């Protein structure tokens, strides 16, 4: 959990960090949530790919990482899924999580709720022990 935009209160950030760690221990897949104050004019897709590569999200030989990116200034959210998890969290599922879970909460001004509910939805999708080698 990297809350650079400072969107989560400390107790909720700690709760999310624990959920992410528990999921990684159960599945071996790595899920990171990052909030950015701004994209600095860059496409959120490009930022996601760059973060995944720079931070080495997921195991190298399996590419089983997931990143949830929230950029409140641009009112954008993205779920970047490594190739190794595409069978578990498909593009249409990621889009549905953003459209049905994250965006409505952002629009209502509930940024912490958007992050926590979106993360919980992603965890439900990827929490499949043994889905990746």
């Amino acid at each position: 959990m990297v809350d650079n935009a400072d969107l989560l209160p400390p107790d909720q950030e700690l709760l999310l960090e624990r959920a992410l760690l528990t999921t990684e221990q159960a599945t071996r897949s790595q899920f990171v949530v990052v909030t950015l104050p701004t994209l600095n004019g860059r496409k959120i897709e490009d930022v996601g790919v760059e973060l995944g590569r720079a931070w080495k999200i997921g195991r190298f030989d399996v590419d089983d990482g997931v990143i949830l990116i929230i950029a409140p200034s641009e009112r954008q959210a993205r779920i970047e899924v490594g190739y190794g998890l595409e069978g578990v969290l498909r593009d249409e599922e990621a889009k549905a999580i953003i459209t049905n879970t994250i965006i409505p909460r952002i629009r209502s001004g509930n940024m912490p709720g958007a992050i926590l509910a979106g993360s919980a939805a992603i965890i439900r999708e990827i929490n499949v022990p043994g889905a990746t080698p």
Side-chain angles (χ1 to χ4, degrees):
M1 172 71 223
V2 181
D3 190 11
N4 288 334
D6 198 27
L7 300 176
L8 288 177
D11 61 324
Q12 291 180 342
E13 188 171 333
L14 183 59
L15 180 72
L16 180 55
E17 286 175 353
R18 287 182 183 153
L20 297 174
L21 180 60
T22 299
T23 301
E24 185 174 350
Q25 290 171 341
T27 66
R28 299 179 7 156
S29 300
Q30 192 173 31
F31 173 28
V32 175
V33 177
V34 61
T35 69
L36 302 170
T38 181
L39 297 171
N40 293 317
R42 297 168 44 208
K43 293 180 181 179
I44 197 167
E45 299 87 359
D46 295 341
V47 171
V49 171
E50 290 171 16
L51 288 176
R53 288 182 181 150
W55 293 352
K56 298 178 170 81
I57 307 298
R59 292 174 288 160
F60 174 77
D61 56 336
V62 182
D63 194 15
D64 60 348
V66 177
I67 305 173
L68 170 60
I69 306 164
I70 305 287
S73 294
E74 290 86 357
R75 299 175 56 100
Q76 292 189 38
R78 174 137 179 109
I79 300 170
E80 198 67 48
V81 181
Y83 293 121
L85 276 179
E86 285 185 339
V88 177
L89 179 57
R90 298 183 320 267
D91 290 342
E92 52 272 5
E93 292 165 330
K95 183 178 179 183
I97 291 169
I98 290 172
T99 302
N100 302 326
T101 304
I102 296 172
I103 297 300
R105 287 170 175 81
I106 290 174
R107 287 187 178 145
S108 71
N110 184 3
M111 196 62 74
I115 295 166
L116 295 175
S119 296
I122 293 168
I123 288 170
R124 279 191 300 275
E125 291 294 330
I126 67 170
N127 197 5
V128 182
T132 57

